[in-house]
Structure formats: structure tokens, C-alpha cells
Amino acid sequence: MDKRAKIYIAGHAGMAGSALLRRLTAAGYDNVVTRTHAELDLTQQAAVDAFFASAQPEIVFLAAGKVGGIKANNNFRADFIYQNLMIEANVIHSAWKHGVQRLLFLGSSCIYPRDCPQPIHEDYLLTGPLEQTNEPYALAKIMGVKLCENYYRQYGARFISVMPSNLYGPNDNYDLENCHVLPALICKAHEAKAKGASELIVWGSGKPRREFLFVEDMADACLHLMNSDVSSGLYNVGMGDDLPISELTELVMEVVGYDGKIVYDRNQPDGTPRKLLNIERLKSLGWSAKTQLREGIALTYKDFLSRRNHR
């Protein structure tokens, strides 16, 4: 990407978008355009089209969307499918209409079938049923992938899709009603430590395996891809290894400094049994993650404490 190019980050205030903004700034890209949700509602087609007509960005990183953990996904199913569909359709269509040179759509590994072979290759998309607890969100993200694919096939638009494994890191959401598993565990372990509680309650059985990617590594992978020669396609981004939730819980407790007993609430859902991504397609382009899980959790806990102290 040309350092002088005008870049729009949709969703710059979120965890992924803010990491992209930090990475681009560090790399010397200083012509970056952002809009808060109050300034631009991406679910409104006319507003999005007017923004693209006025701002005329040349590069787009589409990191905006409604996101949440297993509870939020299951409770607000209509909101998750509607809002994500509208955001993707509006941004991708306006990007094509107004001549954007390159676009990167940020999705999620939940787009893949619930019980597909591991590690999950990009070609496994749409080969089986989805996990029911987050099916609406997954379907919306699949449509984002297909929008990029078909705007390339019909119009030659250089739009690519990136599917990261479970993201975590600075600027994460620590609200237990809506957050993902790793920030939820950090929050629970911290509260248990502060209260002197003897037990830490964890949803599910602790058996599902998950792969976690530090958000700064995700941002680095996105910049690497946008500076490559690829014009289209779907790319998994991950660490290349995973661990059970039980081991993740122990690791979080170690970082936080809490040594209570883990109690698993088996009345709560486990979600997909395993989600380990095949990352060979991206590795073949010369990229791999740098941040190991324990280091990333420590940095995330530091961010959590900073946010708590400034409330």
C-alpha cells in the first residue's frame, strides 16, 4: 500500500479496529480516516454511500460489526444477523461503487462448520452445519466473505477476507454479559481474587479447545496481506495451536494471581467442540504470529487493570 493512500478503518474504536489503527500508524500510514458510530451509522445505506462519496478512501479495513460471546450471540440472534449483514453490504457495495482500490473484510472463525475436520482449512467453508449458538452471526460473516468474493468475480474488485481465531488483547470488552471467553475469565478471576472467593465458576465443561490470537498480531497479519500481491480470497489467521478451556482458565488464574478452585457449570453451553485453524495459506506468504499466549494474557490483564482504574 502506498503510504500516501487514504485509508478508512470501519470500526476503529473496537478491539480489532483500534489494533489496526495502531499498526498502521506505527508503519507510517498517516492518512487514516475514521468515524465513530455517532458520526456514521454503518447500517444506514444512504449515510454510508454519502460518506464514501465525500471522503473518497482508497483503502478500506472493514472491522466494524456487532460482536459478543456465546451468551450475547444466543440471546440477541436477530440483532447479530441484521446489523452485521447491513454493515457488510453497505460498506462493501459503497467501496466498489466509489472505486476503492483494496478492501480487507475481517470475519471470524465461527463461519466454519461446527464439526468439520481439524485444523480447519479455508476450503471447509459451507461443507456442514454451523454451531447453533452463534449461527446468525456466522451466517452474516459468511455473507461478508461471499460479497468480497463475488465483487471480485464480477467486477475485479480487490477485496479479500481474513478469518482470525479467537481474538484478545488491548481494548477488549470485559462486560460479562457480552464478552468472549478469555476476557470473561480475566474479569472473573480478578473479581474472585479481589473478593477472596474460594471458587471460580466457568461456563460449560472446560473441554472445548480454542485457539487464541493476540489482536496486535492480527493487525500485523492484515497489513502484511494488504501489502502482498493477493487480489482476492479467504485467509485464516491464527497461532497454529490450541488448548482446552480448562488449561486456559488455569493460565489466566496464574497471570491474575488467583489460586481458588475451578467449578464448571455444565448447565451452560460449551459451543463448538474445537476450532483450530489451518494457517498454511497465510504462512506461505511469509507471515506468522509472534505473541505467545501467556505474554498476551499478561498484556491483556494490564489493559484490564488500566481500564478499571480509570473508570
Side-chain angles (χ1 to χ4, degrees), residues 5-302:
K6 194 173 194 179
I7 300 171
Y8 169 49
I9 302 175
H12 75 284
M15 178 175 62
S18 60
L20 286 166
L21 181 57
R22 288 191 297 273
R23 183 67 187 87
L24 287 165
T25 301
Y29 295 90
D30 55 10
N31 192 10
V32 179
V33 179
T34 61
R35 292 290 186 275
T36 64
H37 177 71
E39 293 170 326
L40 176 60
D41 182 351
L42 295 176
T43 67
Q44 302 301 308
Q45 187 177 48
V48 174
D49 196 60
F51 163 75
F52 273 85
S54 172
Q56 290 291 313
E58 298 162 88
I59 308 291
V60 172
F61 289 86
L62 178 44
K66 184 173 179 61
V67 298
I70 191 170
K71 183 176 182 180
N73 270 276
N74 206 25
N75 288 347
F76 305 106
R77 301 173 70 88
D79 293 347
F80 272 85
I81 194 167
Y82 171 76
Q83 291 185 33
N84 285 296
L85 278 172
M86 295 302 292
I87 290 168
E88 295 154 10
N90 291 339
V91 172
I92 292 169
H93 181 72
S94 287
W96 162 75
K97 181 179 176 182
H98 294 281
V100 164
Q101 297 170 11
R102 303 210 67 186
L103 178 145
L104 183 143
F105 167 65
L106 195 64
S108 165
S109 59
C110 73
I111 65 169
Y112 295 112
R114 182 182 191 275
D115 298 312
C116 67
Q118 306 284 321
I120 304 170
H121 193 278
E122 290 92 344
D123 291 342
Y124 296 164
L125 184 65
L126 297 175
T127 59
L130 298 165
E131 160 61 33
Q132 282 300 302
T133 54
N134 62 10
E135 183 187 62
Y137 178 74
L139 285 169
K141 289 298 182 180
I142 290 169
M143 287 306 300
V145 173
K146 291 301 179 182
L147 280 165
C148 290
E149 176 187 315
N150 287 289
Y151 272 78
Y152 173 74
R153 290 178 65 177
Q154 183 172 346
Y155 299 115
R158 300 183 69 196
F159 295 173
I160 61 175
S161 299
V162 166
M163 297 300 118
S165 56
N166 293 54
L167 293 175
Y168 72 100
N171 206 21
D172 209 335
N173 174 16
Y174 303 102
D175 175 7
L176 288 175
E177 290 297 312
N178 299 299
C179 67
H180 292 99
V181 60
L182 200 154
L185 289 173
I186 287 176
C187 186
K188 286 183 175 183
H190 177 81
E191 294 297 332
K193 176 185 176 182
K195 294 176 181 177
S198 60
E199 296 180 344
L200 178 67
I201 298 174
V202 178
W203 273 29
S205 67
K207 294 179 180 179
R209 301 183 68 92
R210 292 291 182 270
E211 176 184 13
F212 295 91
L213 179 69
F214 194 53
V215 72
E216 306 294 339
D217 285 335
M218 178 280 302
D220 187 63
C222 291
L223 184 57
H224 184 89
L225 268 169
M226 291 290 264
N227 278 320
S228 72
D229 292 330
V230 299
S231 297
S232 65
L234 170 60
Y235 296 85
N236 289 338
V237 185
M239 290 292 295
D241 55 31
D242 61 2
L243 78 169
I245 296 300
S246 58
E247 289 185 20
L248 174 68
T249 304
E250 292 169 358
L251 192 56
V252 168
M253 289 169 59
E254 179 186 324
V255 170
V256 172
Y258 172 71
D259 59 0
K261 178 184 177 182
I262 303 172
V263 176
Y264 294 101
D265 182 357
R266 296 172 186 270
N267 292 319
Q268 301 296 341
D270 268 339
T272 304
R274 191 182 190 194
K275 286 197 297 183
L276 175 64
L277 297 179
N278 181 313
I279 55 173
E280 293 306 312
R281 183 174 288 179
L282 183 56
K283 285 179 70 176
S284 71
L285 297 174
W287 185 90
S288 59
K290 301 177 180 66
T291 311
Q292 296 303 308
L293 185 56
R294 195 190 191 289
E295 176 191 358
I297 292 173
L299 291 168
T300 306
Y301 185 46
K302 183 179 179 181

